[in-house]
Structure formats: structure tokens, C-alpha cells
Amino acid sequence: MAAEVVEIRPAEEGDRRPLALLFAAVAEERDGIAAEPPVDVDRRAASWRLDGTLVALGAGKIVGLLHVDVSGFGFGEIGMLVARDWRGRGVGTALVAAGVEWARARGLHKLVLGVFPHNEAAIALYRKFGFVEEGRRRRHIRRANGECWDLVEMGLLL
Ligand SMILES: CC(C)(COP(=O)(O)OP(=O)(O)OC[C@H]1O[C@@H](n2cnc3c(N)ncnc32)[C@H](O)[C@@H]1OP(=O)(O)O)[C@@H](O)C(=O)NCCC(=O)NCCS
């Protein structure tokens, strides 16, 4: 389906709360991201690192985010999510494209990320941009229900 994203732009001060609310909503799914409820929205909003965060706006609202956590060693680690109702419409693709561009402009040499093995949509998205699987951490993330999920490590040389 064609992208319906109006805009991808760097996060601004006024985005803190909508970012934290979107993060909390996706955490509620207990599926794609490591965070699970309860999410302290106020705390997350206050501590959100805006530098390196890109937001996707759809119908005037924040419908997706991508964050690049810049290390001191030249690589950046990505975290991202798209509002459930907006998935499958190219929002994630637009965010990763902008994230790669942002990382190159920052002079990073590599992007990395961790993804759950069952997250087919995310893995397909990253592969589309050339990310390759670099390893798999066994029983890495402990869930609230006591399960321990593997984490696939992916990387893209810029
Ligand atoms: C992963 C996620 C960010 C993808 O965002 P999106 O806006 O749906 O992505 P897009 O619409 O741009 O689709 C990107 C690619 O993913 C693949 N894809 C999308 N939906 C898919 C699905 N349900 N199953 C398999 N592959 C899928 C396709 O290859 C697609 O590329 P194409 O349209 O060129 O074929 C989104 O599903 C999401 O936020 N999930 C919950 C949070 C999460 O898992 N975050 C990532 C943690 S590592």
C-alpha cells in the first residue's frame, strides 16, 4: 500500500507526552517491543531523549517513532514502533529511511538493533534496508509472565 505519511521530522519538546503515550500503547500489546506494562507515562515523557528521535505524523498526530541511540563507538542502536492502526501503510519504511539518513548525516558507520524472532514484519522491514542477522541472544529478555525470549541482533553498515 502507498505511504500515507504526511511528514517525518525530528522530535520536539511538545512531542514528549504523545511519544510516551504511543510507547505505552505498544507496550500494552506485549509482543513487538521489550517494554511491557505498566509504563510510567509521566516519567517516560520527562526522560525521553529527543535528540535522535524522529516522529511520523499521520492525520496531524504522531503515529510512529524511531530512536537512534548513539554510542561512543560510532554505531547507533535503533528502537522503533508504529501505532497499531497505522501499520502496513509504509510508515515504518519511511521512518527507517529517515533514520538511516539521520545516522549517515551524524557520521555513524553502523546501525544495530535487537528484534524478537517472531516479529516477522519488523525483520522484513529491516532486511529491506539491508540489515543482516549478526547473531542471536538466547533467552535474553525475560517477560512479565516469566518466559525468556530470544533476541535477534541485526546490523547495517552505512
Ligand atoms: C515493525 C513495525 C515498526 C513496521 O511498521 P509498518 O509501518 O507496519 O511497516 P511498513 O508498512 O513500512 O512495512 C514494512 C515492511 O514490513 C513487511 N511487513 C509489513 N507488515 C507485515 C506483516 N504483517 N507480516 C510480514 N511482513 C510485514 C513488509 O516487507 C513491508 O515492506 P513492503 O510493504 O515494502 O513489502 C510495526 O509493525 C510495529 O510498530 N510493530 C510493533 C512494534 C515493533 O515491533 N517494533 C519493532 C521492534 S524491533
Side-chain angles (χ1 to χ4, degrees), residues 32 80-82 87-93 114 119 121-122 124-126 128:
M80 72 177 296
L81 50 89
V82 171
R87 290 180 198 157
R89 304 197 216 172
V91 178
T93 298
N119 196 344
L125 169 60
Y126 302 134
K128 195 165 82 165

Side-chain angles (χ1 to χ4, degrees), residues 23 27-28 30-31 33-39 141-145:
F23 182 87
E28 290 281 346
R30 297 186 192 271
D31 183 45
I33 63 172
E36 292 181 84
V39 171
I141 302 286
R142 188 159 67 209
R143 309 296 289 168
N145 67 4

